[in-house]
Amino acid sequence: MATKVQLAQRPEADELLGRSPLAALVGMLLDQQIPMEWAFSGPYTIAQRLGTDDLDAHEIAACDPERFAALLSEKPAVHRYPGSMAKRVQQLCQYLVENYDGDAENVWKDAGSGKELFKRLNGLPGFGKQKAQIFLALLGKQYGVRPEGWREAAGAYGEEGSHRSVADITGPESLAKVRAFKQEMKAAAKAGK
């Protein structure tokens, strides 16, 4: 699945995201309450600290929770909330081991429709409706995973030419557009309170 992405805006982190389905999934999981690039650099940092060049769901699922939390907490921390995110990453990996033979790509590889893929993503630990739709849009727009009806299942995030989420980031310029969109949404939500 080697794909050229620029989600982390760091060549080595983006290279991992482009070839590792689990890294992409973990980056999406980490993408909350921190800048997108920081979230999508996380999988690379975790792999480095584990002493590997990729993430392994079996290894992470079996890791001692305290050791794994310490790994994510090392400076610079992988996330603003390294302890709770370490727990979430392990829960995701345990779920993948139990339901998808530990292979993140199995989540989408044989999905027959966008609806089915959305349902699978929405069922992952740490993935709610919005995160599942954004990741579905990311798979369709940048990874070439396009089961029938994927755009509809991704909702507004699947719209062509939109700049709503990480699914639309292809470089620094589009990152700035996505940031601007998110700031508009926050301002509108604040004004509506």
Side-chain angles (χ1 to χ4, degrees), residues 106-178:
N106 286 342
V107 175
W108 54 85
K109 196 162 52 180
D110 64 351
S113 69
K115 262 189 189 148
E116 183 186 342
L117 180 51
F118 168 75
K119 193 174 159 190
R120 290 179 185 187
L121 292 169
N122 198 34
L124 296 173
F127 278 66
K129 179 184 179 196
Q130 185 180 28
K131 196 175 281 286
Q133 286 185 316
I134 291 170
F135 194 73
L136 178 52
L138 177 62
L139 286 172
K141 289 179 175 183
Q142 298 201 41
Y143 289 92
V145 177
R146 301 181 179 120
E148 194 177 322
W150 73 270
R151 283 192 190 275
E152 295 74 14
Y157 300 105
E159 290 172 7
E160 202 163 341
S162 68
H163 287 93
R164 295 177 181 272
S165 73
V166 68
D168 304 306
I169 296 174
T170 54
E173 190 182 310
S174 52
L175 172 64
K177 287 180 182 176
V178 170

Side-chain angles (χ1 to χ4, degrees), residues 60-129:
I60 292 171
C63 200
D64 173 69
E66 284 182 22
R67 178 179 168 258
F68 193 67
L71 203 83
L72 270 68
S73 300
E74 271 177 42
K75 298 282 184 249
V78 169
H79 194 277
R80 179 180 290 160
Y81 304 107
S84 62
M85 291 315 282
K87 192 174 174 180
R88 285 188 172 182
V89 169
Q90 282 196 292
Q91 287 169 340
L92 174 65
C93 288
Q94 285 157 354
Y95 185 87
L96 291 171
V97 167
E98 289 164 18
N99 297 280
Y100 295 101
D101 298 322
D103 185 347
E105 193 173 14
N106 286 342
V107 175
W108 54 85
K109 196 162 52 180
D110 64 351
S113 69
K115 262 189 189 148
E116 183 186 342
L117 180 51
F118 168 75
K119 193 174 159 190
R120 290 179 185 187
L121 292 169
N122 198 34
L124 296 173
F127 278 66
K129 179 184 179 196

